Amino acid sequence: MALNNSLNDFVSNLDIASISRDRKEILLALVAFIQQKVDRRKPIRLNFICTHNSRRSHLSQVWAQTMAHHFGINNVNCYSGGTEATALFPMVASTLAHTGFEVHTLSEGRNPVYSIKFSENEHPVICFSKKMDDGFNPESDFAAIMTCSQADEGCPFVPGAEKRIPITYEDPKAFDNTPQQAQKYSERSQHIATEMFYVFSQIQK
């Protein structure tokens, strides 16, 4: 299904051959969860969780929602949350905008709210930092995807989660305020985009 032109170009150049066999094994738990919901014609709710809900969980939320649309997998709603709320790190929004998303700041302050749009005719992803059990997120019948090892180890139980799936990523925060910052955020975003492309490409409608 149609993404905007810039995103379509980016997605068409993703290389799933770069994903190792071991990594694909990890991703298959998420594939299986989504496929089961598709087969049963049930809503698919994915809550991507990291400690601060500031970087990896937002990138994962946005790319998962984008790839669900790209592959025409309907009834998918992606969320993100943390073990605590901070703020979406501005470099995440800049990286997504550079990739081709239409990014708007809906409100400013200590925890800004962003609108991140991947297609002209689809509702944007609304991103802001929040705890995983925030009222903006689902209360039950969702998969909790743990995107950082700290949250994975610190949250053995996620209230309301139907399934808990660890899919962890390295934190680009290590490169904040360095000459490599933009490059490392771009690499992490592309890494997550590639894996979410693979996950949704495996779903049989």
Side-chain angles (χ1 to χ4, degrees):
M1 297 180 70
L3 302 174
N4 69 45
N5 290 337
S6 297
L7 270 178
N8 198 55
D9 291 343
F10 179 86
V11 168
S12 67
N13 286 309
L14 294 174
D15 179 19
I16 61 173
S18 65
I19 305 172
S20 69
R21 180 178 298 178
D22 288 347
R23 190 65 182 176
K24 286 180 179 177
E25 288 292 326
I26 291 170
L27 296 172
L28 283 178
L30 180 54
V31 173
F33 177 85
I34 297 169
Q35 187 66 64
Q36 182 184 67
K37 295 293 184 181
V38 169
D39 292 345
R40 296 178 179 178
R41 298 184 180 180
K42 297 287 188 181
I44 302 158
R45 302 183 186 95
L46 309 177
N47 194 359
F48 294 89
I49 297 170
C50 201
T51 306
H52 300 115
N53 191 210
S54 57
R55 295 169 176 81
R56 291 164 286 179
S57 48
H58 279 113
L59 288 170
S60 300
Q61 174 191 8
V62 169
W63 279 118
Q65 194 72 63
T66 301
M67 294 308 176
H69 176 76
H70 178 67
F71 285 101
I73 312 300
N74 298 320
N75 216 4
V76 177
N77 288 291
C78 298
Y79 307 85
S80 67
T83 56
E84 58 184 279
T86 55
L88 187 147
F89 191 64
M91 193 66 205
V92 171
S94 297
T95 299
L96 292 171
H98 183 74
T99 305
F101 289 91
E102 186 180 326
V103 178
H104 296 287
T105 304
L106 300 181
S107 71
E108 299 182 347
R110 294 180 63 183
N111 186 6
V113 178
Y114 294 87
S115 161
I116 301 177
K117 197 166 187 178
F118 51 82
S119 177
E120 292 179 0
N121 294 326
E122 296 299 315
H123 196 279
V125 182
I126 304 300
C127 289
F128 63 97
S129 186
K130 70 199 82 67
K131 292 184 72 173
M132 58 186 174
D133 60 353
D134 186 270
F136 198 81
N137 289 342
E139 290 186 2
S140 62
D141 301 320
F142 64 91
I145 298 99
M146 317 304 288
T147 61
C148 72
S149 56
Q150 188 176 351
D152 184 30
E153 293 163 4
C155 294
F157 173 73
V158 178
E162 181 179 339
K163 190 169 181 64
R164 186 181 178 284
I165 304 172
I167 302 178
T168 61
Y169 295 101
E170 292 182 10
D171 194 352
K173 180 181 180 180
F175 297 92
D176 287 358
N177 303 312
T178 71
Q180 303 121 301
Q181 179 177 265
Q183 176 192 343
K184 293 300 181 179
Y185 273 79
S186 178
E187 287 175 0
R188 184 60 58 241
S189 179
Q190 182 164 335
H191 179 191
I192 293 171
T194 302
E195 294 197 342
M196 292 301 111
F197 181 100
Y198 173 75
V199 164
F200 283 95
S201 73
Q202 300 303 297
I203 304 304
Q204 304 297 313
K205 293 185 282 183

